[in-house]
Amino acid sequence: MTRWSLPVVLVVGMFVLLAAPRLVQSAAPEEPAAAPAAPGAAPAAPAAPTAAIAADMPKLNLMWPDEKDKKIWEEWVGLEMGDGPFRSLYKPIPMQMYIAPTRHYIRPDMSGFAELMKKFKPDQCEECHVEVTPGWVHQWEDSVHANPRKTPYHAQKTAEIEKVLGRSINKVTCAECHGSSHDVLQMPYMDNACGHCHKDQAEQFVSEKKDGRPSHYLSWVSEVVPPWYVENYRRGEGVSQVGCDICHPEMQRCDGCHMRHRFDAKEARHPETCGKCHMGYDHPDFESYDMSAMGVVYRGTHEGWNFDIPMEQVVPGRDWKAPTCAYCHMYQGGGKWAHNVTSKGIWRMGVYKPKQRNYEYKSSLKDAPYGINVPPLNRVIDLDSPDNKAKRAKWIETCSKCHSPRFASIYLNQTLDELMLLGWQKTDAAMAVLDGLFKDNCIVPDAEHRDPFWVGDKMADIFGPEKLGPALYPLFKEKQGYFPLYGPILGTGHHYVTGPGRPNNVELLLEEQWFGAFLRSYKGTAHAQQDYSWWYGWAPMLQNLAKAQDWAVQLRRIKALEDKAGIKADGYLPSDPIIYGHTEVYTQGHRPMPK
């Protein structure tokens, strides 16, 4: 590799950070007594939210395989420390109490509820909360939890749960999930609540870890370990990421899809429920589905569909006139559905480099994953691997419920796959442009005279040579993040954190080409929505590549003129002290000054 292609290791290498932890942190609803404390009342003493639940419910261990991981992700620290490998570098915003309650939740001061506590006994949760939080109570009253035998199907499922628990269930009340006392109030998540009654579904959900990220099971891990996330906190802008925080933790708990306090399976079967997260700039899943032929049929006919029946009982074309997100993505093959949406995931949201069939990468992409041997960063998509062949068979089986197997096979093998392989070739072309510009010193300011890679001053010490590997570790140790970083996957941080001189326009064009347009084309093609495939996806991807190539011509012309005139243009832009003034990068003089 050239001097400047080596740092591209970070494109994939930074996901070493994503691979270090193997677990997720749960999120939770607001506390059942979320009313203002009495004026002037002293704050309640912090208390961990994971106090003992009902005595007859043994502690599960679905989310925390070993004590080391449990300490990193579950051990309560209040708001004095964050999560994941960078946990000591930032303090979370107060909203994190609800997003990661086992780690950050601080129990509210209850003195303002003294009169209510006198009026209602501990077993009168509903009577009290219909005054304090009526919405929760009315939602619960409409739920299967309030009436576990509301249909013959629910009565059967309730009987199965009773057999597992060894006791009868008349109602699933507040105490079943939150505990029976405010003194030991807990915020429910899969291990301490949902999984006790819904163990099969919880284990299916956890089974996603076999496929690694991206997955619902590992969504919180993927949130807190990217370095741009922590860098935003270090510059005092952590609250700007509340949109990310709201989306990722929702998929680590059951109420991301079965929304509180109804927890309705029927609601979770509607595409709109998935669409509240699966939409937007880089993954317009819902938009492309909604405007596809499938979505048009759904919108025109779904009011007459029976969403109360489980998907195993749905007769496609009769009960449901078109496929939904849940129907396709939860299908496991063989007529079975489960709470696992990665079992058919071949392209893994399009973010991992594929092995090409009749093409050789020409840019520094050819060396990915650059010797890193930490899952999933060492992943290169092999369409013909045994695992992917099995997934492809299930993919075709799913589509064949409405289409012919021949049609499904042609669409997957000779349409979607070929488009993805070709799209990565276009990304390779854009990478080659940047490789050349950095190699020939055409990027001004150069990497040593602009803001460094996010948390670059801490990377080597936090991860060490074992995780960063023999190429990256000495580079971070020596350069402290002052070297070029661009391309899939890590350059996506250029959308989140910018600094003087970084990213250069060409770098940003590459990221918009790959992270935005290419992924939109992928989603549009996967859902057979023509405009997302072409006009919102492929066409702007080509346009961004053309813009990057044009910028390269202009930058080379400028450098040639400066060289001929003997001008040394370092383009130095000092780090803004508002952004970096409180970090060691700024205060300890690590930043190289222009010569």
Side-chain angles (χ1 to χ4, degrees), residues 270-272 284-303 305 307 316-317 320-329 395 398-403 407-408 411 416 522-530:
H270 282 76
E272 292 88 347
D285 304 87
F286 179 73
E287 299 96 320
S288 58
Y289 166 84
D290 188 49
M291 296 308 298
S292 71
M294 298 176 289
V296 169
V297 173
Y298 165 77
R299 283 187 284 114
T301 65
H302 76 274
E303 289 185 3
W305 297 11
F307 282 101
W320 295 4
K321 310 301 182 186
T324 65
C325 311
Y327 190 84
C328 290
H329 289 280
W395 199 101
T398 304
C399 297
S400 298
K401 292 180 178 297
C402 295
H403 301 282
F407 174 91
Y411 198 85
L416 179 61
Y522 163 48
K523 296 298 184 179
T525 306
H527 291 136
Q529 208 300 313
Q530 55 274 17

Side-chain angles (χ1 to χ4, degrees), residues 24-50:
V24 289
Q25 173 60 51
S26 62
E30 295 184 23
E31 67 276 6
T50 53

Side-chain angles (χ1 to χ4, degrees), residues 109-167:
D109 174 25
M110 303 301 296
S111 61
F113 301 95
E115 293 304 313
L116 278 174
M117 302 297 270
K118 292 177 184 178
K119 180 179 178 181
F120 296 101
K121 296 179 181 179
D123 62 349
Q124 293 179 293
C125 305
E126 299 97 290
E127 291 91 332
C128 175
H129 277 278
V130 80
E131 294 187 18
V132 179
T133 52
W136 299 354
V137 176
H138 295 315
Q139 289 168 346
W140 173 82
E141 289 173 338
D142 192 36
S143 73
V144 177
H145 282 167
N147 184 6
R149 293 172 177 80
K150 67 188 304 183
T151 69
Y153 173 78
H154 291 119
Q156 173 195 339
K157 290 297 181 182
T158 299
E160 294 172 2
I161 293 171
E162 289 176 330
K163 186 175 181 180
V164 172
L165 295 179
R167 61 181 174 87

